[in-house]
Amino acid sequence: MTDTAVHTAILPYHGSYLMPSLEHAKVSDAMHPGILSCPADATLTEVARMMVTHHVHCLAVMNIARDESGESLVWGIISDLDLMRAGTRGEGEPRAAALAAQPIISVKPSMPLRDAAELMLSREVTHLIVVEPASERPIGILSPLDVAGALAWGES
């Protein structure tokens, strides 16, 4: 009997757009626009399903905080590692608010990409929330893979 295994070639990815080199790139050149969020009371299972369904490695958790000064939007971020940690330790069905890392680390789209990468390294985080400068509202996510894109495909 002969071995008839079918081998499929993995085609190399050549980038979908030209981007500046890491030395010249801004966060806006590499970030993923848009942000996927979940409510603070979402369960671990619901968070996992959202991540898998949308093929994302993190979710923002949105919550309204009320104090004597009124209401404010409070948010955190759940990474795939946070999800895995909670899921494998068998600590019940925690809610998104309990899983979310706070405070989140945010950056402006105009920040140099190299500085954002250094911030990830120094703060030991895998995702930065990109915020609109005037409103501070989240407009995108920056991950290490986005930085890798600048290293791989960036042109001077």
Side-chain angles (χ1 to χ4, degrees):
M1 184 179 258
T2 61
D3 183 30
T4 59
V6 177
H7 297 278
T8 57
I10 297 175
L11 299 175
Y13 176 70
H14 293 290
S16 60
Y17 57 90
L18 295 177
M19 72 179 325
S21 66
L22 182 63
E23 289 73 30
H24 298 105
K26 303 283 186 211
V27 166
S28 60
D29 295 320
M31 69 179 229
H32 277 86
I35 188 164
L36 190 62
S37 67
C38 68
D41 64 347
T43 64
L44 177 72
T45 300
E46 291 168 331
V47 169
R49 286 181 181 153
M50 286 182 75
M51 285 184 175
V52 170
T53 299
H54 296 283
H55 300 279
V56 297
H57 295 269
C58 70
L59 289 176
V61 178
M62 308 303 235
N63 195 17
I64 301 292
R66 292 177 180 85
D67 60 16
E68 60 279 349
S69 64
E71 293 183 350
S72 64
L73 184 62
V74 177
W75 39 295
I77 191 166
I78 300 174
S79 74
D80 48 3
L81 292 176
D82 298 327
L83 180 73
M84 186 173 62
R85 189 176 299 114
T88 58
R89 293 195 175 150
E91 299 171 356
E93 185 79 358
R95 301 294 173 170
L99 297 172
Q102 288 184 354
I104 60 100
I105 301 170
S106 63
V107 295
K108 306 284 193 268
S110 60
M111 177 184 237
L113 187 57
R114 180 179 291 282
D115 293 350
E118 287 294 335
L119 182 61
M120 279 188 216
L121 291 169
S122 68
R123 300 292 290 275
E124 297 182 349
V125 297
T126 56
H127 296 85
L128 300 175
I129 302 291
V130 183
V131 296
E132 199 276 325
S135 68
E136 294 289 319
R137 294 188 59 88
I139 59 170
I141 297 281
L142 184 72
S143 74
L145 192 56
D146 299 324
V147 176
L151 291 169
W153 312 116
E155 297 188 1
S156 299

